[in-house]
Amino acid sequence: MAVIPRLILVGKSFRGDEGDDVALAEALIRRDPQATFVAWTRLHGLAVGTLRRLAGPGNDIDDLAQEVFLRFFRYVHKLRDPKALRSFLIGICLRVVRGEMRQRWLRRFLRLTDGGDAPEPAVPARDGDGASDAREIVRRYYAILDRLSNEDRSLYVARHVERLPLTEVATLHGLSDSTARRHLLRIARRVAAMVEADPALSAYLAEEEQARRGKQTP
Amino acid sequence: MSDDDKERGGAPDPLAPLADLARAWADAGPQHPGGPGAWAELDAGLTRQVRRRRAQWALAGALGLVLVAAAGRGVWLRHQRLTYAIEGADARTDGYIPRVVEPLARVRFSDGSEVGLEHGSRAWVVATGADGAQLRLEDGRAHFAVVHRPHAHWTVEAGPFVVSVTGTKFDVEWSGTNDRLRVHLRSGVVTVGGPQTRGGVTLLPGQVLEARPDEGILRVEPAPADPPAPPLRGAPLEKASPTAAPSATSPSAAAPPLTSPPPAVPGPAGEPAPPPPPAADPRLLHAAPVRPRALALAGAPVAAGFGSDWRAEIARGEFEPILHEAAARGTESCLRSLPSDRLAVLGDAARYGGQTDLARRVLQAQRARFPGSSAAAEATFLLGRLAEDAHEPGSVALPWYERYLKEAPTGVYAAEALGRQMLILGGRANDQRAREIARKYLEGYPRGAYVAQAREILEGAP
C-alpha cells in the first residue's frame, strides 16, 4: 500500500513546567490539549479554597469544583486577557456558588433537602473543644449569610470572606464601584444586626474583642 | 486603614473575626480533595460535554437545513409562475382564445383557479405570474373562481375596466360592441377600476356593477336572480337550483346578454351602413346612476386641448393610454366632438390596440362629420382594411375600396385600394372584373407592390 505523505503543521506545544499563568492561559486560549491537565493541577486548589469560602460548610465541594472546571474549560478560549486567568476562574466559582445557592433555596422552598427536612439544630453548649466550637461558629455564620438574597450573599462573601478587591467584586457582579460599595454597606449593616441577634456569634465576637483588648493592654 | 474600614467611613469591621474564622476554616480543609479520580471524572465530563455540544451543533445544523429547505421550497413555490390549460376552445399559443364555439370553455390554472367562458366569448390570458394572472375579456361572458391565496393578485380587463381580485367567485360580462360591463360578485371581494370609478368601486357579495362608460352610467345594485354559474373547479359555487331554467352553458335568461348584434354589413352595391345605435337596456335607462358627475360629463363636448398630446404618444407606440383616456372621457363624446386630426389618431390607436369595433366607429364618425376631406377618404379605405383584417367576407371590404377610389382616385392609398380589390376578386375563378382591374393596375402602377399578382391573374386568363 502506498504511503501518502502528509504535512502536519505543529504549533508550539505547552510544557507543564512553564510556571507562568500567562503562558498557561495562552495555551488554553489556543486549545492546547496538554494545557488542560496542567491547568487543572495548578488551579484546582485555588478553586476548591474559593468554593469553600464562598459556599461555606455543608456543600459538596468536589461536585462544585467539577462544575467549575467544566465551565472553565468550555469558555477559557474566549479569555481576552491572559493575565486575568485566576480572576476568570474565581468569577466562575462565584457564578457556580450562586447557582448552587439558588438551587438550595429552591430545594428548601420545596422542602426536599438541605435544611428543608429538619429545623436548624439548637446551638450546642460550648464544651471547651475549640475545633468543634469553631466549626459551629462558622456554620452559624454561613447560616446567617444564607438568609441574605443570593445577590447580596455573593457580594458580601466575595468582599468580606474571599476578600476580593472592591473593583473586582463590582466587575464580577456587573456593578459600578460606587453601587457595589453602597450595597455592601447596606448588607454589612444587616449581617451585623443578625449576628448581634445570635447569642453564640455575639458571644464569640465579644470574646474576640476582649482578647484583642487584652493583647493591646500589657 | 483598610479598604473595608474606608467603606465604613474609617470604623473597623466588627464582624472581621467571623470572616477570619471562616477563611481559616476554609484554608484548613483539604485543598486537593479529588486527586487522579477527580481528574478522570472531569476528563470524562469534558468528553461528554464535547459530544453533547457536537450533537447540539449537528441537531441545529439539521434543523437549519430543514428550515432552509422549507424556506427555499416556499420561495420556489412563491415565484413559480402559474400554468394553465384551456379546454373546450381553440387557443393560440399566446393564450388568445379567438371565439368559444363550445357551450363552455374552461381555463384551468395550476393553483386551482378556473375561468369558464361562455359560447361566443373572446378572451386572452395575457400573462401569468406567481401570484395570479392577467386576463382580458374582449367580448362575452366569463365566470371566475379564483382560489384565495396570500398575495394573490388577479386582474380581469374588460374594455377600459379592470377588475382586481384576490380570491373570489364572480362573473364578468363585457360587450366590446356597446362598451357595456356587468360584474356579478358571488363571493369574496373585487374592485372594479375604470372610467368614472374614481379609483375603484369595491363590490360586496351579491352585488352587481353595471357600467356604460359612453353614457356615463355606473351603477351598483343587488344582484337579480341570475342563473348559477357553471360548476368550476376553483371552489364549489352555489348549488345550482334544479328549477333554474337556463343551464349553466346557455345564455342567461334573467340577465339578458349585453352584447348587441354585430354592425350591419354593407352590401356590395350600396353605401356601407353604419352600425346601429346601441340597444337601450331598460334596466340601465331607468336606473339612477351612482355617479351624477359622470352623467353630467357624458355627452358634453370635449375640451379644446383634449387629446393634443395623442399624436406624440402614438408616435412612441403608446396607444393604450389614448384608448383609456378616450374611454374615460366617454367614447361617444369623443366621436362627436374631437377634431378630425385627433379622431384620426384615436382611430389609429384603436386599430393598433386591437379594438376593431371602436376603430370602425371612429372611422365612420370621421366620414360622417368631415365628408369630402382627405381624412374621410382615408377612413373609407381603412374601413375596408379593417374588414379584411377581421376576416370578414370580401364583399364587405370591396365596397369600401371602390368608394375610396371614387373619393380619392389619386389618394395615397389608391394603388393599395386597387391592389386589394384585385386580390379579392382574383380569388373568384375567371372573374372578368379582376382582369380589368389587373390591367388597370399594371398601366397605372407598373412598379407597384401587386404587379406579380396582376400578371398572374392576366396570364391565368383563358
Side-chain angles (χ1 to χ4, degrees):
Chain A
M1 181 191 284
V3 177
I4 302 171
R6 287 193 299 174
L7 176 65
I8 301 173
L9 297 174
V10 181
K12 183 190 173 190
S13 181
F14 178 74
R15 298 200 319 275
D17 57 355
E18 291 177 13
D20 188 2
D21 274 359
V22 174
L24 175 61
E26 287 169 347
L28 288 167
I29 289 168
R30 66 172 182 267
R31 298 175 193 262
D32 187 330
Q34 293 189 29
T36 310
F37 183 71
V38 176
W40 183 77
T41 311
R42 193 179 293 175
L43 300 174
H44 191 268
L46 171 70
V48 166
T50 305
L51 286 170
R52 285 171 66 85
R53 285 189 289 277
L54 295 177
N59 288 284
D60 189 341
I61 299 300
D62 282 354
D63 278 357
L64 295 180
Q66 185 89 346
E67 178 62 26
V68 164
F69 277 101
L70 283 174
R71 289 193 198 184
F72 176 80
F73 289 123
R74 186 173 178 183
Y75 297 113
V76 71
H77 65 277
K78 294 180 179 174
L79 184 64
R80 276 178 284 185
D81 179 11
K83 291 178 194 160
L85 185 67
R86 285 174 184 262
S87 178
F88 178 70
L89 181 72
I90 291 171
I92 294 177
C93 290
L94 259 175
R95 281 189 286 278
V96 166
V97 169
R98 282 168 70 177
E100 175 63 19
M101 292 300 125
R102 202 176 299 121
Q103 286 184 11
R104 191 198 289 182
W105 176 87
L106 191 65
R107 284 196 294 269
R108 193 183 298 147
F109 180 76
L110 297 172
R111 297 194 162 272
L112 296 175
T113 56
D114 291 327
D117 50 357
E120 197 171 302
V123 182
R126 301 187 69 182
D127 55 5
D129 179 354
S132 64
D133 279 357
R135 274 199 301 276
E136 178 58 20
I137 294 298
V138 169
R139 191 194 66 75
R140 282 180 167 274
Y141 181 51
Y142 276 100
I144 280 176
L145 297 182
D146 287 350
R147 285 157 67 184
L148 298 172
S149 73
N150 207 6
E151 176 79 5
D152 286 359
R153 183 192 188 282
S154 181
L155 271 169
Y156 186 85
V157 171
R159 181 72 183 109
H160 292 283
V161 182
E162 186 63 21
R163 293 203 173 149
L164 294 176
L166 178 68
T167 305
E168 193 173 346
V169 172
T171 305
L172 287 170
H173 290 82
L175 302 172
S176 67
D177 285 5
S178 58
T179 306
R181 185 182 292 115
R182 206 168 54 248
H183 282 338
L184 281 166
L185 280 173
R186 174 180 55 78
I187 299 163
R189 278 197 294 271
R190 191 170 169 216
V191 171
M194 288 191 287
V195 165
E196 197 178 348
D198 186 297
L201 293 181
S202 56
Y204 174 77
L205 284 178
E207 282 174 18
E208 286 295 308
E209 178 66 17
Q210 202 173 356
R212 189 178 65 84
R213 283 184 183 161
K215 281 180 190 170
Q216 283 177 351
T217 53
Chain B
M1 191 187 295
S2 69
D3 284 350
D4 291 350
D5 297 342
K6 283 179 193 168
E7 286 166 24
R8 284 177 296 278
D13 182 6
L15 304 179
L18 285 172
D20 291 342
L21 185 65
R23 285 179 63 81
W25 164 80
D27 293 344
Q31 292 300 302
H32 210 299
W39 166 250
E41 201 176 322
L42 176 68
D43 199 31
L46 288 171
T47 308
R48 277 197 305 272
Q49 188 169 273
V50 169
R51 280 187 194 151
R52 194 163 54 237
R53 215 177 315 152
R54 281 182 187 159
Q56 284 170 349
W57 276 112
L59 187 66
L63 203 64
L65 276 176
V66 168
L67 287 173
V68 166
R73 182 173 159 73
V75 169
W76 182 77
L77 286 174
R78 175 92 178 76
H79 292 90
Q80 190 69 10
R81 201 173 276 277
L82 291 183
T83 57
Y84 62 92
I86 300 173
E87 300 168 8
D90 292 328
R92 292 196 322 218
T93 53
D94 63 352
Y96 184 68
I97 303 164
R99 182 178 163 81
V100 177
V101 181
E102 299 290 323
L104 186 79
R106 292 169 189 270
V107 186
R108 297 182 192 273
F109 290 86
S110 53
D111 71 336
S113 299
E114 192 169 324
V115 180
L117 293 166
E118 287 194 1
H119 172 81
S121 299
R122 283 186 287 129
W124 187 11
V125 184
V126 180
T128 58
D131 298 329
Q134 179 189 356
L135 296 103
R136 185 175 296 159
L137 181 63
E138 291 194 344
D139 206 56
R141 179 182 294 192
H143 309 276
F144 294 83
V146 176
V147 173
H148 181 73
R149 290 185 304 147
H151 311 292
H153 183 64
W154 293 65
T155 57
V156 182
E157 298 171 12
F161 295 93
V162 178
V163 184
S164 299
V165 188
T166 52
T168 180
K169 301 182 199 72
F170 62 101
D171 305 333
V172 177
E173 189 173 351
W174 168 250
S175 165
T177 309
N178 298 328
D179 286 2
R180 292 187 196 176
L181 175 77
R182 184 171 188 272
V183 180
H184 175 191
L185 183 63
R186 295 179 183 271
S187 68
V189 176
V190 298
T191 302
V192 182
Q196 298 150 9
T197 59
R198 291 185 183 176
V201 173
T202 299
L203 290 186
L204 298 175
Q207 286 185 332
V208 167
L209 177 145
E210 292 181 342
R212 290 181 176 187
D214 284 359
E215 298 163 35
I217 291 176
L218 182 76
R219 210 173 60 142
V220 177
E221 62 180 6
D226 269 12
L232 300 178
R233 188 179 59 172
L237 292 171
E238 298 89 320
K239 273 191 172 179
S241 165
T243 55
S247 72
T249 55
S250 65
S252 165
L258 297 175
T259 312
S260 62
V265 174
E271 166 77 7
D281 183 341
R283 288 176 304 153
L284 292 179
L285 289 178
H286 292 97
V290 294
R291 306 280 185 208
R293 181 174 155 70
L295 265 183
L297 282 173
V302 295
F306 181 74
S308 57
D309 52 352
W310 284 0
R311 188 166 291 283
E313 282 182 327
I314 206 161
R316 291 194 299 268
E318 297 170 358
F319 43 85
E320 288 287 350
I322 298 173
L323 297 175
H324 282 295
E325 206 174 331
R329 189 64 186 79
T331 307
E332 283 300 327
S333 299
C334 291
L335 296 182
R336 279 199 296 271
S337 313
L338 278 176
S340 175
D341 59 334
R342 289 173 205 169
L343 213 50
V345 175
L346 179 60
D348 290 345
R351 285 193 299 120
Y352 301 153
Q355 296 196 18
T356 307
D357 297 319
L358 176 62
R360 189 175 281 128
R361 290 170 64 197
V362 172
L363 294 170
Q364 284 170 338
Q366 184 80 281
R367 281 178 47 75
R369 288 181 54 210
F370 306 99
S373 66
S374 61
E378 286 170 13
T380 308
F381 170 79
L382 291 173
L383 280 164
R385 285 312 311 257
L386 271 183
E388 277 199 279
D389 290 345
H391 305 290
E392 290 174 4
S395 58
V396 178
L398 211 51
W400 290 115
Y401 294 140
E402 287 173 354
R403 189 163 188 86
Y404 173 75
L405 289 169
K406 280 182 195 166
E407 290 173 355
T410 58
V412 290
Y413 295 123
E416 183 75 12
L418 205 59
R420 301 306 309 174
Q421 262 189 322
M422 180 185 72
L423 288 185
I424 292 169
L425 293 169
R428 301 171 186 173
N430 302 322
D431 193 292
Q432 179 61 31
R433 202 155 154 249
R435 287 195 294 277
E436 285 173 15
I437 294 173
R439 269 189 220 102
K440 193 175 172 184
Y441 187 86
L442 285 173
E443 287 167 10
Y445 310 99
R447 292 183 180 177
Y450 297 95
V451 166
Q453 290 91 332
R455 286 187 181 139
E456 196 176 321
I457 288 171
L458 290 174
E459 285 166 7

